[in-house]
Amino acid sequence: MLINCVAYQEGKRLADIEPDAISDYLARPGCFVWIALRDATDAELAKVQEEFGLHDLAIEDARHGHQRPKVEEYGDMVFAVLQTVEFTATDELQVGEVNVFAGPNYVISIRNRCQQGLLGVRDRAEREPHLLKLGAGFVFYALMDAVVDRYFPVIEALEGELEAIEAQIFNPGTARGNVERLYALKQKITVVKHAVTPLLESAGKLTSGRVPLVCEGTRDYFRDVYDHLARINASLDTFRETIGTAIQVNLSMATIEESETTKRLAAWAGIFAVATAFAGIWGMNFAHMPELQWRWGYPAALGLIAATCGVLYWRFRRAGWL
Protein backbone atom coordinates (compact mmCIF):
# COMPACT_ATOMS: atom_id res chain seq x y z
CA MET A 1 0.00 0.00 0.00
CA LEU A 2 1.33 3.43 -0.94
CA ILE A 3 1.76 5.66 2.12
CA ASN A 4 3.10 8.74 0.42
CA CYS A 5 5.12 9.85 -2.58
CA VAL A 6 6.89 13.21 -2.29
CA ALA A 7 9.30 15.13 -4.47
CA TYR A 8 12.11 17.25 -2.98
CA GLN A 9 14.49 19.75 -4.49
CA GLU A 10 17.39 21.51 -2.79
CA GLY A 11 16.24 20.19 0.58
CA LYS A 12 12.70 21.53 0.24
CA ARG A 13 9.47 19.67 -0.27
CA LEU A 14 8.04 20.37 -3.71
CA ALA A 15 4.79 18.43 -3.69
CA ASP A 16 2.97 15.19 -3.03
CA ILE A 17 2.91 13.54 -6.42
CA GLU A 18 1.08 10.69 -8.08
CA PRO A 19 3.10 7.64 -9.12
CA ASP A 20 2.43 8.42 -12.77
CA ALA A 21 4.20 11.78 -12.40
CA ILE A 22 7.40 10.36 -10.92
CA SER A 23 9.29 10.39 -14.22
CA ASP A 24 8.70 14.10 -14.69
CA TYR A 25 10.25 14.95 -11.33
CA LEU A 26 13.17 12.54 -11.75
CA ALA A 27 14.12 14.46 -14.88
CA ARG A 28 14.53 17.70 -12.92
CA PRO A 29 18.09 18.62 -11.88
CA GLY A 30 18.71 18.43 -8.11
CA CYS A 31 15.36 16.74 -7.51
CA PHE A 32 14.73 13.38 -5.84
CA VAL A 33 11.60 11.38 -5.03
CA TRP A 34 10.91 9.66 -1.71
CA ILE A 35 8.30 6.90 -1.79
CA ALA A 36 7.02 5.03 1.27
CA LEU A 37 5.13 1.73 0.94
CA ARG A 38 3.70 -0.66 3.50
CA ASP A 39 3.24 -4.38 2.82
CA ALA A 40 3.72 -3.73 -0.88
CA THR A 41 1.88 -5.97 -3.33
CA ASP A 42 3.51 -7.65 -6.32
CA ALA A 43 1.86 -5.10 -8.61
CA GLU A 44 3.28 -2.18 -6.62
CA LEU A 45 6.76 -3.73 -6.62
CA ALA A 46 6.56 -4.28 -10.37
CA LYS A 47 5.50 -0.66 -10.83
CA VAL A 48 8.42 0.81 -8.86
CA GLN A 49 10.85 -1.59 -10.53
CA GLU A 50 9.73 -0.41 -13.94
CA GLU A 51 9.77 3.25 -12.92
CA PHE A 52 13.23 3.26 -11.30
CA GLY A 53 14.93 0.36 -13.07
CA LEU A 54 15.54 -1.60 -9.87
CA HIS A 55 17.55 -4.80 -9.99
CA ASP A 56 15.63 -8.07 -10.23
CA LEU A 57 17.46 -9.68 -7.29
CA ALA A 58 16.71 -6.74 -4.99
CA ILE A 59 13.04 -6.79 -5.95
CA GLU A 60 12.95 -10.54 -5.39
CA ASP A 61 14.31 -10.10 -1.85
CA ALA A 62 11.76 -7.36 -1.14
CA ARG A 63 8.95 -9.50 -2.48
CA HIS A 64 9.67 -12.60 -0.41
CA GLY A 65 10.95 -10.84 2.73
CA HIS A 66 12.41 -12.64 5.76
CA GLN A 67 15.89 -11.65 4.65
CA ARG A 68 19.02 -11.35 6.73
CA PRO A 69 19.88 -7.69 7.45
CA LYS A 70 22.27 -6.52 4.76
CA VAL A 71 23.37 -3.68 2.51
CA GLU A 72 24.00 -4.52 -1.14
CA GLU A 73 25.12 -2.41 -4.05
CA TYR A 74 23.66 -2.77 -7.54
CA GLY A 75 25.33 -0.29 -9.86
CA ASP A 76 24.46 3.19 -8.61
CA MET A 77 21.73 1.85 -6.33
CA VAL A 78 21.97 0.60 -2.75
CA PHE A 79 19.53 -1.97 -1.43
CA ALA A 80 19.27 -2.43 2.34
CA VAL A 81 17.31 -4.87 4.48
CA LEU A 82 16.70 -3.64 8.01
CA GLN A 83 14.93 -5.69 10.67
CA THR A 84 12.64 -4.03 13.19
CA VAL A 85 12.13 -5.57 16.63
CA GLU A 86 9.02 -4.65 18.64
CA PHE A 87 7.12 -5.96 21.64
CA THR A 88 3.61 -7.23 21.02
CA ALA A 89 0.67 -6.92 23.42
CA THR A 90 1.62 -10.32 24.89
CA ASP A 91 5.21 -9.21 25.58
CA GLU A 92 6.60 -11.30 22.75
CA LEU A 93 9.10 -9.95 20.24
CA GLN A 94 7.85 -9.40 16.72
CA VAL A 95 10.36 -9.06 13.91
CA GLY A 96 9.47 -6.85 10.97
CA GLU A 97 11.38 -5.64 7.97
CA VAL A 98 12.17 -2.38 6.22
CA ASN A 99 13.56 -2.58 2.69
CA VAL A 100 15.24 0.55 1.36
CA PHE A 101 16.20 1.29 -2.24
CA ALA A 102 18.44 4.36 -2.50
CA GLY A 103 19.59 5.72 -5.84
CA PRO A 104 20.99 9.01 -7.14
CA ASN A 105 17.58 10.70 -7.21
CA TYR A 106 15.18 8.45 -5.35
CA VAL A 107 14.56 6.62 -2.09
CA ILE A 108 11.99 3.85 -1.73
CA SER A 109 11.15 2.42 1.68
CA ILE A 110 8.97 -0.67 2.03
CA ARG A 111 7.76 -1.59 5.51
CA ASN A 112 6.60 -5.16 6.16
CA ARG A 113 5.13 -6.73 9.34
CA CYS A 114 5.99 -3.61 11.28
CA GLN A 115 3.58 -1.97 13.71
CA GLN A 116 5.30 1.39 14.04
CA GLY A 117 5.30 3.74 11.10
CA LEU A 118 8.15 5.81 9.69
CA LEU A 119 6.32 9.10 9.27
CA GLY A 120 8.46 10.61 12.00
CA VAL A 121 11.53 10.07 9.82
CA ARG A 122 10.05 12.21 7.05
CA ASP A 123 9.06 14.93 9.53
CA ARG A 124 12.56 14.95 10.99
CA ALA A 125 14.21 15.16 7.58
CA GLU A 126 11.94 18.00 6.46
CA ARG A 127 12.82 19.97 9.62
CA GLU A 128 16.47 19.85 8.54
CA PRO A 129 16.50 21.12 4.94
CA HIS A 130 20.24 21.81 5.08
CA LEU A 131 20.75 18.07 5.58
CA LEU A 132 17.97 17.02 3.24
CA LYS A 133 19.93 18.86 0.53
CA LEU A 134 22.37 15.94 0.69
CA GLY A 135 19.70 13.97 -1.14
CA ALA A 136 18.92 10.26 -1.08
CA GLY A 137 21.98 9.42 1.01
CA PHE A 138 20.71 11.43 3.98
CA VAL A 139 17.22 9.91 3.71
CA PHE A 140 18.79 6.45 3.66
CA TYR A 141 20.75 7.35 6.80
CA ALA A 142 17.63 8.77 8.51
CA LEU A 143 15.68 5.57 7.85
CA MET A 144 18.49 3.35 9.13
CA ASP A 145 19.00 5.59 12.17
CA ALA A 146 15.28 5.43 13.02
CA VAL A 147 15.30 1.62 12.90
CA VAL A 148 18.45 1.42 15.04
CA ASP A 149 17.12 3.91 17.61
CA ARG A 150 14.08 1.68 18.13
CA TYR A 151 16.38 -1.08 19.35
CA PHE A 152 17.26 0.92 22.48
CA PRO A 153 13.84 0.66 24.22
CA VAL A 154 13.89 -3.08 23.54
CA ILE A 155 17.38 -3.34 25.06
CA GLU A 156 16.25 -1.39 28.14
CA ALA A 157 13.22 -3.67 28.58
CA LEU A 158 15.39 -6.79 28.32
CA GLU A 159 17.85 -5.32 30.81
CA GLY A 160 15.02 -4.61 33.26
CA GLU A 161 13.75 -8.17 32.89
CA LEU A 162 17.23 -9.54 33.55
CA GLU A 163 17.64 -7.41 36.67
CA ALA A 164 14.26 -8.59 37.97
CA ILE A 165 15.34 -12.22 37.57
CA GLU A 166 18.71 -11.57 39.21
CA ALA A 167 16.93 -10.07 42.24
CA GLN A 168 15.19 -13.44 42.82
CA ILE A 169 18.15 -15.75 42.29
CA PHE A 170 18.81 -16.31 46.00
CA ASN A 171 15.16 -16.71 46.99
CA PRO A 172 14.53 -20.31 48.13
CA GLY A 173 12.51 -22.48 45.77
CA THR A 174 12.80 -20.18 42.72
CA ALA A 175 15.70 -21.87 40.91
CA ARG A 176 13.61 -23.79 38.35
CA GLY A 177 11.38 -20.83 37.51
CA ASN A 178 14.41 -18.56 37.22
CA VAL A 179 16.15 -20.90 34.78
CA GLU A 180 13.02 -21.06 32.61
CA ARG A 181 12.74 -17.25 32.57
CA LEU A 182 16.44 -16.89 31.81
CA TYR A 183 16.20 -19.22 28.83
CA ALA A 184 13.17 -17.32 27.53
CA LEU A 185 15.10 -14.06 27.94
CA LYS A 186 18.08 -15.58 26.14
CA GLN A 187 15.83 -16.40 23.17
CA LYS A 188 14.64 -12.79 23.02
CA ILE A 189 18.20 -11.53 23.11
CA THR A 190 19.08 -13.91 20.29
CA VAL A 191 16.25 -12.45 18.20
CA VAL A 192 17.64 -8.93 18.68
CA LYS A 193 21.17 -10.22 18.08
CA HIS A 194 20.15 -11.63 14.70
CA ALA A 195 18.84 -8.18 13.73
CA VAL A 196 21.83 -6.19 15.00
CA THR A 197 24.99 -8.16 14.22
CA PRO A 198 24.57 -8.50 10.43
CA LEU A 199 23.52 -4.85 10.19
CA LEU A 200 26.63 -3.86 12.16
CA GLU A 201 28.80 -5.61 9.58
CA SER A 202 26.94 -3.97 6.71
CA ALA A 203 27.02 -0.49 8.28
CA GLY A 204 30.78 -0.75 8.51
CA LYS A 205 30.92 -0.84 4.71
CA LEU A 206 29.24 2.59 4.59
CA THR A 207 31.73 4.34 6.85
CA SER A 208 35.23 3.53 5.61
CA GLY A 209 37.07 2.65 2.45
CA ARG A 210 35.10 2.71 -0.75
CA VAL A 211 31.45 3.48 -0.02
CA PRO A 212 28.51 3.51 -2.45
CA LEU A 213 28.27 6.74 -4.40
CA VAL A 214 24.84 7.58 -2.96
CA CYS A 215 26.32 7.44 0.57
CA GLU A 216 29.53 9.37 -0.17
CA GLY A 217 28.32 12.67 1.28
CA THR A 218 26.83 11.10 4.41
CA ARG A 219 29.71 8.88 5.49
CA ASP A 220 30.00 10.59 8.90
CA TYR A 221 26.31 10.07 9.62
CA PHE A 222 26.54 6.36 8.91
CA ARG A 223 29.48 6.23 11.30
CA ASP A 224 27.12 7.43 14.02
CA VAL A 225 24.72 4.59 13.16
CA TYR A 226 27.63 2.16 13.25
CA ASP A 227 28.61 3.40 16.73
CA HIS A 228 25.05 2.88 17.99
CA LEU A 229 24.97 -0.63 16.58
CA ALA A 230 28.35 -1.43 18.12
CA ARG A 231 27.11 -0.27 21.53
CA ILE A 232 23.91 -2.32 21.22
CA ASN A 233 25.87 -5.37 20.10
CA ALA A 234 28.23 -5.04 23.07
CA SER A 235 25.24 -4.78 25.44
CA LEU A 236 23.73 -7.94 23.95
CA ASP A 237 27.00 -9.81 24.41
CA THR A 238 27.12 -8.65 28.04
CA PHE A 239 23.53 -9.79 28.58
CA ARG A 240 24.29 -13.22 27.18
CA GLU A 241 27.32 -13.62 29.43
CA THR A 242 25.31 -12.47 32.45
CA ILE A 243 22.51 -14.90 31.62
CA GLY A 244 25.02 -17.75 31.35
CA THR A 245 26.42 -16.85 34.76
CA ALA A 246 22.92 -16.48 36.25
CA ILE A 247 21.92 -19.91 34.95
CA GLN A 248 25.01 -21.47 36.54
CA VAL A 249 24.24 -19.71 39.84
CA ASN A 250 20.65 -20.97 39.75
CA LEU A 251 21.80 -24.51 39.07
CA SER A 252 24.24 -24.20 41.96
CA MET A 253 21.46 -22.91 44.20
CA ALA A 254 19.29 -25.88 43.18
CA THR A 255 22.16 -28.23 44.05
CA ILE A 256 22.65 -26.52 47.41
CA GLU A 257 18.92 -26.80 48.17
CA GLU A 258 18.98 -30.49 47.27
CA SER A 259 22.03 -30.96 49.48
CA GLU A 260 20.26 -29.26 52.39
CA THR A 261 17.26 -31.54 51.90
CA THR A 262 19.52 -34.58 51.74
CA LYS A 263 21.24 -33.59 54.98
CA ARG A 264 17.91 -33.16 56.76
CA LEU A 265 16.72 -36.54 55.56
CA ALA A 266 20.00 -38.15 56.59
CA ALA A 267 19.81 -36.56 60.05
CA TRP A 268 16.27 -37.75 60.68
CA ALA A 269 17.16 -41.18 59.29
CA GLY A 270 20.06 -41.38 61.77
CA ILE A 271 17.81 -40.44 64.69
CA PHE A 272 15.17 -43.01 63.81
CA ALA A 273 17.85 -45.63 63.10
CA VAL A 274 19.03 -45.41 66.73
CA ALA A 275 15.47 -45.73 68.01
CA THR A 276 14.90 -48.68 65.68
CA ALA A 277 18.12 -50.34 66.86
CA PHE A 278 17.08 -50.15 70.53
CA ALA A 279 13.58 -51.39 69.71
CA GLY A 280 15.06 -54.24 67.68
CA ILE A 281 17.35 -55.34 70.47
CA TRP A 282 14.62 -55.41 73.08
CA GLY A 283 12.20 -56.96 70.67
CA MET A 284 14.20 -60.19 70.19
CA ASN A 285 12.43 -61.86 73.17
CA PHE A 286 15.26 -64.14 74.25
CA ALA A 287 14.54 -66.12 77.42
CA HIS A 288 17.49 -64.70 79.34
CA MET A 289 17.05 -60.94 78.94
CA PRO A 290 17.08 -59.33 82.42
CA GLU A 291 15.50 -56.17 81.14
CA LEU A 292 12.31 -58.03 80.28
CA GLN A 293 11.71 -59.05 83.87
CA TRP A 294 12.60 -55.68 85.40
CA ARG A 295 9.67 -53.66 86.65
CA TRP A 296 11.02 -50.35 85.31
CA GLY A 297 12.45 -51.86 82.13
CA TYR A 298 9.82 -50.48 79.77
CA PRO A 299 9.87 -46.83 80.91
CA ALA A 300 13.67 -46.98 81.21
CA ALA A 301 13.93 -48.25 77.60
CA LEU A 302 11.65 -45.48 76.37
CA GLY A 303 13.63 -42.91 78.34
CA LEU A 304 16.93 -44.16 76.94
CA ILE A 305 15.59 -44.08 73.39
CA ALA A 306 14.17 -40.57 73.87
CA ALA A 307 17.39 -39.30 75.49
CA THR A 308 19.58 -40.74 72.74
CA CYS A 309 17.35 -39.30 70.02
CA GLY A 310 17.38 -35.95 71.82
CA VAL A 311 21.18 -35.88 71.96
CA LEU A 312 21.41 -36.77 68.28
CA TYR A 313 18.86 -34.06 67.39
CA TRP A 314 20.87 -31.50 69.35
CA ARG A 315 24.11 -32.49 67.62
CA PHE A 316 22.55 -32.39 64.15
CA ARG A 317 20.90 -29.07 64.95
CA ARG A 318 24.19 -27.62 66.10
CA ALA A 319 25.92 -28.89 62.94
CA GLY A 320 23.29 -27.15 60.78
CA TRP A 321 21.76 -30.32 59.39
CA LEU A 322 18.35 -29.64 60.98
Side-chain angles (χ1 to χ4, degrees):
M1 181 177 70
L2 179 66
I3 303 299
N4 45 42
C5 180
V6 184
Y8 297 88
Q9 189 169 22
E10 297 300 325
K12 297 180 180 179
R13 183 183 187 124
L14 289 181
D16 293 313
I17 62 176
E18 295 296 327
D20 294 335
I22 289 175
S23 300
D24 298 334
Y25 285 90
L26 292 179
R28 295 188 180 187
C31 182
F32 75 92
V33 177
W34 182 357
I35 300 176
L37 299 166
R38 186 186 69 190
D39 299 321
T41 63
D42 291 345
E44 289 173 330
L45 290 174
K47 176 67 176 176
V48 296
Q49 181 181 16
E50 178 183 359
E51 190 70 47
F52 297 96
L54 305 179
H55 199 280
D56 291 339
L57 293 177
I59 287 293
E60 193 71 15
D61 287 344
R63 177 178 292 113
H64 293 294
H66 302 285
Q67 298 293 313
R68 187 174 184 264
K70 59 184 178 179
V71 176
E72 296 178 335
E73 190 175 0
Y74 295 95
D76 60 356
M77 181 201 78
V78 173
F79 172 65
V81 177
L82 316 173
Q83 285 188 353
T84 61
V85 181
E86 304 166 318
F87 280 104
T88 63
T90 57
D91 237 10
E92 298 294 326
L93 284 181
Q94 176 180 328
V95 178
E97 195 170 287
V98 176
N99 300 311
V100 181
F101 299 85
N105 54 356
Y106 64 86
V107 176
I108 305 165
S109 64
I110 303 173
R111 180 165 54 93
N112 299 311
R113 306 180 309 280
C114 182
Q115 299 176 358
Q116 299 182 12
L118 296 173
L119 293 176
V121 180
R122 189 181 296 272
D123 294 338
R124 170 199 170 184
E126 291 179 353
R127 288 195 302 267
E128 300 174 316
H130 61 289
L131 296 177
L132 196 55
K133 287 175 63 176
L134 297 174
F138 176 74
V139 176
F140 178 29
Y141 150 75
L143 290 168
M144 182 181 289
D145 186 57
V147 172
V148 172
D149 283 347
R150 292 178 184 179
Y151 293 149
F152 284 104
V154 176
I155 295 296
E156 291 175 1
L158 296 178
E159 183 179 12
E161 187 174 348
L162 178 57
E163 291 175 351
I165 297 173
E166 285 183 312
Q168 298 181 0
I169 284 181
F170 297 103
N171 293 343
T174 61
R176 181 183 179 88
N178 287 338
V179 170
E180 291 177 354
R181 293 175 63 191
L182 286 168
Y183 269 106
L185 181 59
K186 188 175 182 180
Q187 290 177 341
K188 293 179 181 179
I189 290 175
T190 301
V191 169
V192 183
K193 184 81 172 174
H194 288 167
V196 171
T197 303
L199 189 57
L200 175 64
E201 299 171 1
S202 298
K205 301 176 183 177
L206 304 176
T207 61
S208 60
R210 180 197 169 277
V211 301
L213 185 60
V214 70
C215 304
E216 184 62 43
T218 52
R219 181 189 300 243
D220 293 338
Y221 294 96
F222 285 107
R223 186 176 295 112
D224 181 65
V225 173
Y226 179 84
D227 291 341
H228 287 175
L229 287 169
R231 186 168 48 153
I232 293 171
N233 192 58
S235 297
L236 293 173
D237 288 338
T238 301
F239 290 166
R240 295 177 75 174
E241 293 176 2
T242 304
I243 287 174
T245 303
I247 290 176
Q248 293 300 320
V249 171
N250 272 277
L251 294 177
S252 299
M253 291 299 298
T255 302
I256 292 173
E257 290 178 4
E258 291 177 359
S259 176
E260 292 294 325
T261 301
T262 302
K263 288 196 297 184
R264 289 190 182 93
L265 292 175
W268 285 113
I271 292 173
F272 284 110
V274 171
T276 303
F278 281 123
I281 292 172
W282 283 312
M284 290 186 292
N285 293 323
F286 285 113
H288 301 286
M289 290 184 69
E291 295 89 350
L292 299 179
Q293 306 299 324
W294 186 33
R295 179 180 178 183
W296 301 102
Y298 178 68
L302 291 180
L304 180 60
I305 292 174
T308 304
C309 290
V311 171
L312 288 175
Y313 178 83
W314 173 73
R315 291 297 301 272
F316 284 130
R317 183 83 174 182
R318 187 175 181 182
W321 283 43
L322 289 175

